[in-house]
Amino acid sequence: PDVVLLVGGTDGGDADTLTHNATRLARARWRVPVVLAGNVDVRDDLHGLLAGAGVPVTVADNVLPRIGVLAPVSARAAIRQVFLRHVIGGKRLSRGGRFARLVRAATPDAVLTGVEALADVVGGDLAVVDVGGATTDVYSVLTPDERASGPGREVAGALWRARTVEGDLGMRWSAPGV
């Protein structure tokens, strides 16, 4: 992988899984950048553990701070910065820092912003399918359902504006089969 997103536990909740996985990465002398976006109670300790082992680590807010609350914005921003620094810059896909300064958003984030704007204009639910070379992205904007609250609500919450990716349905590799 080019970047690993390491998450786990709500703030004040389970810390064992996140700690276990961070420890495994540290012991394995992992060198792929890690975005740490889990339980805030152990985040600083795990950042120290990973950085001390030479793992390139960036800290972000917890993506699931409480049951029913999904908060991916900080992790997305961290992933974008890591991608620009380590993938685009580190693999010499661009020359110098000028390219990274020119990038205003990763393509999927920019497309989601456009889909959100279009949904606001049409005033309803919207789905957009973006068939790419390696993946097919599905963007959706849904109207929140007031009935989704209460005991039956989803544990991780709902993203009313989202992108999902199908990694094996890009046109470069699967066009003949499709």
Side-chain angles (χ1 to χ4, degrees), residues 24-139:
R24 295 287 301 261
L25 291 175
R27 287 184 184 155
R29 299 180 179 171
W30 189 258
R31 294 300 173 253
V32 171
V34 172
V35 172
L36 178 62
N39 186 338
V40 70
D41 292 354
V42 293
R43 188 171 55 209
D44 290 342
D45 291 340
L46 297 181
H47 176 262
L49 172 76
L50 291 165
V55 176
V57 60
T58 301
V59 173
D61 296 339
N62 193 347
V63 297
L64 189 66
R66 293 182 311 280
I67 297 295
V69 176
L70 191 57
V73 174
S74 175
R76 283 183 182 152
I79 290 168
R80 181 173 42 254
Q81 289 307 312
V82 167
F83 186 79
L84 287 171
R85 187 171 56 248
H86 290 279
V87 178
I88 300 295
K91 290 185 177 180
R92 307 281 187 245
L93 298 175
S94 67
R95 300 198 189 278
R98 184 170 182 260
F99 178 78
R101 287 190 305 273
L102 291 173
V103 174
R104 297 291 177 235
T107 302
D109 293 340
V111 173
L112 180 57
T113 299
V115 170
E116 290 172 337
L118 181 59
D120 290 343
V121 169
V122 298
D125 296 348
L126 181 66
V128 173
V129 178
D130 177 10
V131 180
T135 64
T136 293
D137 298 345
V138 178
Y139 298 87

